[in-house]
Amino acid sequence: MSTKTPLFHTLGCRLNAYETEAMKALTAEAGIGDAVVVNTCAVTAEAVRKARQEIRKLRRDNPKSKLIVTGCAAQTEPETFRDMDEVDLVLGNHEKMKPETWAGLAGDFIGETEKVMVDDIMSVTETAGHLIDGFGTRSRAYVQVQNGCDHRCTFCIIPYGRGNSRSVPAGVVIDQIKRLVDKGFNEVVLTGVDLTSWGADLPAAPKLGDLVMRILKLVPDLPRLRISSIDSIEVDDNLMQAIATEPRLMPHLHLSLQHGDNMILKRMKRRHNREDAIRFAEDARKLRPDMTYGADIIAGFPTETEAMFENSLKLVEDCDLTWLHVFPYSKRPGTPAAKIPNQVNGAVIKERAARLRAIGEQQVQAHLAAQIGQTHHILMENPRMGRTAQFTEVRFDTDQPEGQIVRAVIRGLDAGQLVA
């Protein structure tokens, strides 16, 4: 068995980062040694370009290592990476999570196997609950409860990289969270590709709210539970009840909104309209007045006029969004949106994205200013920085216990952070 360990490079989302941690364990068990593993993202054409750029750099820096490319871009366009001289092996998203894949690659494996190991992701019907010890910080752990997506938004390639939606059974999720709490984690984040579709493929088709309520009931020692990006149109009654009654469920939701104009939402094949989004934001905040929202919004989708874009700007105010993730539209080959006539000029897309980010920054500053004088319970990510329940960064001038939740009064703000 090699004494070396693989070098991992992760691009893209939190789920990719989670899966990289699982791959670290799988490669260690298999005895994989001098290798570089690149876990790619396919969300935009730019993401694929960056992956190719990183691969070339990693090859220059590691000329003798075996270089393995996996992740969503490897799944959706394996030939792109197969044809790169720098790449020794291309692994699909399903293959990368199988112990037998890595066991079969142990030793001097390249040359003994085909260069591309990518099967049909749409044929995958299960998602394993990979047991990892947490990642990111010593205070917060991420648990994958769902993978894939059954929806076909016209701008999105991800279902073809991740496959159809499949859920990790509740019992597996709860066992993992108990394990993490026993290791000292004070916050767990539930993550997935389409989180609010959790349970649809399980017996009796439970909802995400059912899972949240079961976790909070069966893991009473878990101080804080957080859920990542959700599709508000899929939120169920139990999740709303949890928002209203469970203080251990954090008052921060990231909403997959994408746009504020109903015609663009229809052309995106989203399942909500702007009125649905506004109604959900109002309802959840009535149940939990300290609720804050993040949101994904795309600028410059094909056919977007100035008036349509203005509806996205208005949505930020109408929903009182705080944390904006602004995506300039990027034409993605293989998606229906790439074929829509009337693509928006690139300079206009860039300008609109800048305007969205500017109003987003105003929202952040208003949120920060409103916290001055307030008392918060802050989970420390390192001795001088932690986050409130609303996921707002707080800086301390003196060391605090890392990984612990401290109570502090906010006395000011500086450079986009609260100061306590």
Side-chain angles (χ1 to χ4, degrees):
M1 183 176 292
S2 172
T3 57
K4 292 186 176 182
T5 57
L7 170 67
F8 286 87
H9 189 85
T10 305
L11 300 163
C13 64
R14 283 283 184 185
L15 186 55
N16 251 14
Y18 179 94
E19 290 174 344
T20 289
E21 293 302 309
M23 280 192 288
K24 287 178 181 178
L26 293 172
T27 55
E29 290 169 8
I32 302 294
D34 190 9
V36 176
V37 182
V38 185
N39 200 5
T40 62
C41 173
V43 69
T44 63
E46 175 66 10
V48 178
R49 188 195 68 79
K50 284 185 177 179
R52 290 168 57 85
Q53 185 180 49
E54 287 296 328
I55 287 165
R56 293 189 185 100
K57 180 180 183 299
L58 288 163
R59 170 53 76 205
R60 289 194 300 270
D61 294 344
N62 304 273
K64 295 183 180 180
S65 300
K66 306 300 184 183
L67 199 149
I68 303 167
V69 179
T70 188
C72 288
Q75 181 70 47
T76 57
E77 44 187 285
E79 66 287 345
T80 295
F81 303 99
R82 177 200 63 199
D83 294 342
M84 293 182 70
D85 292 337
E86 295 86 353
V87 175
D88 293 303
L89 181 65
V90 182
L91 284 182
N93 260 336
H94 184 52
E95 288 74 19
K96 75 181 183 184
M97 306 309 293
K98 296 165 67 176
E100 55 267 34
T101 298
W102 298 103
L105 298 179
D108 188 17
F109 56 86
I110 303 299
E112 299 172 12
T113 186
E114 55 195 304
K115 188 171 181 179
V116 177
M117 298 173 64
V118 179
D119 287 340
D120 178 14
I121 195 71
M122 295 300 177
S123 67
V124 179
T125 58
E126 293 183 348
T127 284
H130 304 288
L131 297 181
I132 67 171
D133 291 333
F135 72 95
T137 71
R138 288 168 51 193
S139 53
R140 180 179 299 107
Y142 293 78
V143 174
Q144 179 188 1
V145 304
Q146 184 273 340
N147 203 342
C149 185
D150 290 338
H151 312 304
R152 297 295 181 264
C153 299
T154 59
F155 56 84
C156 187
I157 198 76
I158 296 305
Y160 304 99
R162 290 284 177 181
N164 292 317
S165 181
R166 42 262 180 234
S167 310
V168 178
V172 176
V173 174
I174 289 166
D175 286 346
Q176 166 72 328
I177 293 174
K178 287 179 178 178
R179 181 171 174 263
L180 292 165
V181 171
D182 288 344
K183 287 181 175 291
F185 287 95
N186 281 317
E187 183 174 297
V188 164
V189 185
L190 303 183
T191 188
V193 174
D194 181 27
L195 195 60
T196 31
S197 70
W198 179 89
D201 56 320
L202 297 176
K207 301 287 189 180
L208 180 63
D210 302 323
L211 177 64
V212 167
M213 296 293 267
R214 285 187 66 182
I215 291 168
L216 292 169
K217 178 181 179 180
L218 298 176
V219 195
D221 294 335
L222 172 66
R224 290 163 61 142
L225 179 67
R226 196 179 291 278
I227 54 180
S228 59
S229 182
I230 63 169
D231 200 339
S232 58
I233 200 69
E234 289 187 320
V235 169
D236 60 283
D237 290 344
N238 266 349
L239 186 53
M240 294 302 282
Q241 183 181 349
I243 290 169
T245 63
E246 292 286 357
R248 291 186 293 147
L249 179 63
M250 295 296 94
H252 166 249
L253 296 173
H254 189 85
L255 309 178
S256 179
L257 298 182
Q258 309 306 343
H259 211 274
D261 183 83
N262 283 340
M263 180 56 71
I264 293 293
L265 288 168
K266 186 175 182 179
R267 289 170 179 162
M268 288 178 165
K269 287 192 71 174
R270 300 293 295 166
R271 290 161 301 126
H272 71 275
N273 58 34
R274 68 174 288 116
E275 291 76 22
D276 293 327
I278 294 167
R279 183 165 52 251
F280 172 81
E282 290 175 346
D283 289 348
R285 191 170 271 123
K286 285 176 184 175
L287 298 174
R288 192 78 177 267
D290 58 344
M291 181 68 74
T292 62
Y293 300 114
D296 296 330
I297 301 183
I298 295 173
F301 186 83
T303 75
E304 182 189 74
T305 64
E306 179 63 24
M308 291 169 170
F309 172 70
E310 290 282 345
N311 281 333
S312 282
L313 292 178
K314 292 173 187 173
L315 188 71
V316 176
E317 181 178 349
D318 290 342
C319 291
D320 195 14
L321 306 175
T322 299
W323 316 108
L324 295 192
H325 286 189
V326 176
F327 295 89
Y329 174 75
S330 172
K331 183 190 255 190
R332 188 69 178 86
T335 60
K339 300 176 183 177
I340 295 177
N342 301 322
Q343 299 278 324
V344 180
N345 179 272
V348 174
I349 293 175
K350 185 175 180 181
E351 183 267 341
R352 288 176 180 171
R355 286 161 63 192
L356 264 173
R357 291 190 180 107
I359 195 172
E361 183 57 31
Q362 293 174 20
Q363 291 291 102
V364 170
Q365 291 303 316
H367 169 72
L368 295 177
Q371 307 312 307
I372 296 176
Q374 300 291 320
T375 299
H376 281 280
H377 291 87
I378 300 155
L379 179 65
M380 299 305 301
E381 296 185 3
N382 62 57
R384 295 294 180 98
M385 195 280 284
R387 291 184 188 267
T388 68
Q390 291 86 1
F391 214 61
T392 310
E393 286 190 3
V394 183
R395 193 185 76 230
F396 288 77
D397 294 331
T398 58
D399 286 354
Q400 305 296 319
E402 185 174 350
Q404 299 304 303
I405 298 171
V406 302
R407 185 174 182 270
V409 176
I410 305 302
R411 58 178 178 80
L413 58 95
D414 180 55
Q417 288 182 319
L418 299 176
V419 179

